[in-house]
Amino acid sequence: PSTSLWAKSYTGYFLSVVLFGMGMTLSIDDFKRIAKMPLMVIVGTVAHYVIMPLLAVFLCWLFRLDGMVAVGVILVGCCPSGTSSNVMSFLSRGDVALDVSIGLLSTLLAPFMVPLLMSALASQYVEIPVGALFITALKVVLIPVALGVTVHTVFGAKVSKVTAVMPAVSQVAILLIIGVVVAANNAKLFTAETALILPVVMLHNLSGYGLGYLFSRVMFRVYPQGFRYAQQKAITFEVGMQDSALGATLALQAFAANPVVAIPSTFFSVWHNISGSVLASWWRRRDDRYNIPADSHDG
């Protein structure tokens, strides 16, 4: 544990680096895209912030989770969609532009949505530090993203050399956050208290994919011109994948006395990259097998 605990005070900075890097990959055109297809982006964002939080509450009830463990499960469910979903959407030949737009909007809303949802859904277990969640999310989400976009806008193509190395820097930063959570919970990581967290996290993620895809299929029936096959893939990943690094950071800072709250986010961070990669690969192979084009009307 001593190899990672030194970094506990810096988890907010590590996540800020990740989101600053995300901001540097964005341009004003990304924000304009939200305005160009507001229905698709808003509907996808609403689906994310409805399905995953309520699914977390249902799983806590189903598995009889209580206390800080339940708070941790609900916290990761209330987080915005993860940036990894952009990669998975690309690998599966989904609508990456829609994926990025939904991820951007859900991330920008995170400082407001996470405290609001946690207050509504997790206050039965513990008093929710709404103010601390808001301030932390504001500092580690909105400010770094805004700075990244500003740097990109000012320096343009000159930032390409920096953005080329940012994925590796981001991976290191996320691994450091995971290391802190594991170190802080080394005595509780695999105990009776936390034994159900891993299966709950796996079910949460997989159910998110399933419900996200089902939702996109229903929307296809309502608005087939917008929710085509590529968009269905994007929404599936956007709903099921969470910004679990943010969840772990918020847990470590807003619930500092109870680091167990960060365990679900840590497990989610590892698991959803595995499941997302498998799903993206399966989708791509299926399309190749049945000669389904990327711009297909329906899969």
Side-chain angles (χ1 to χ4, degrees):
S2 59
T3 59
S4 295
L5 279 176
W6 63 270
K8 188 174 182 180
S9 302
Y10 305 104
T11 53
Y13 297 108
F14 296 147
L15 186 61
S16 294
V17 169
V18 175
L19 290 168
F20 175 73
M22 172 189 169
M24 283 202 299
T25 66
L26 300 172
S27 67
I28 301 301
D29 289 338
D30 292 299
F31 293 88
K32 289 180 179 178
R33 193 185 301 120
I34 295 177
K36 289 179 181 177
M37 48 176 163
L39 175 65
M40 304 286 295
V41 177
I42 292 172
V43 166
T45 303
V46 169
H48 178 86
Y49 275 124
V50 169
I51 291 173
M52 293 305 278
L54 293 182
L55 190 54
V57 172
F58 172 73
L59 290 172
C60 287
W61 170 81
L62 183 66
F63 287 89
R64 300 183 182 277
L65 299 182
D66 200 3
M68 304 313 292
V69 170
V71 172
V73 171
I74 295 173
L75 176 59
V76 73
C78 294
C79 285
S81 56
T83 53
S84 298
S85 63
N86 302 341
V87 179
M88 305 310 169
S89 187
F90 170 76
L91 293 175
S92 67
R93 301 192 187 106
D95 188 336
V96 178
L98 176 62
D99 197 292
V100 170
S101 298
I102 294 173
L104 175 58
L105 183 58
S106 68
T107 299
L108 294 176
L109 291 175
F112 310 97
M113 293 304 298
V114 174
L116 179 66
L117 290 169
M118 285 296 291
S119 178
L121 302 176
S123 56
Q124 59 181 308
Y125 301 107
V126 67
E127 184 177 349
I128 303 299
V130 174
L133 284 172
F134 174 75
I135 295 299
T136 303
L138 191 68
K139 290 193 297 186
V140 303
V141 176
L142 280 190
I143 294 175
V145 170
L147 287 174
V149 173
T150 302
V151 169
H152 188 174
T153 302
V154 172
F155 295 100
K158 294 179 181 179
V159 302
S160 59
K161 293 181 180 179
V162 179
T163 55
V165 301
M166 284 309 297
V169 173
S170 297
Q171 290 293 339
V172 172
I174 291 172
L175 286 171
L176 285 169
I177 294 171
I178 291 174
V180 170
V181 177
V182 172
N185 291 284
N186 72 92
K188 294 183 177 180
L189 204 57
F190 297 105
T191 64
E193 180 186 6
T194 60
L196 285 175
I197 292 180
L198 185 55
V200 166
V201 161
M202 294 170 70
L203 192 56
H204 192 186
N205 168 240
L206 296 176
S207 299
Y209 291 148
L211 291 175
Y213 180 69
L214 180 62
F215 170 80
S216 67
R217 295 291 298 172
V218 171
M219 290 305 300
F220 173 73
R221 301 298 178 191
V222 176
Y223 183 47
Q225 295 86 354
F227 293 85
R228 295 157 64 95
Y229 190 39
Q231 288 76 46
Q232 292 168 22
K233 294 177 182 178
I235 290 175
T236 298
F237 287 116
E238 277 300 305
V239 170
M241 301 188 78
Q242 302 294 90
D243 189 348
S244 43
L246 174 61
T249 301
L250 291 175
L252 290 171
Q253 302 212 2
F255 300 94
N258 297 280
V260 71
V261 176
I263 294 179
S265 293
T266 302
F267 284 169
F268 206 109
S269 187
V270 177
W271 166 253
H272 78 162
N273 283 296
I274 297 171
S275 65
S277 299
V278 171
L279 178 57
S281 298
W282 174 83
W283 232 326
R284 193 180 183 103
R285 288 197 303 269
R286 176 183 179 273
D287 292 351
D288 289 341
R289 184 182 304 120
Y290 295 104
N291 296 314
I292 302 174
D295 59 350
S296 173
H297 187 67
D298 187 21

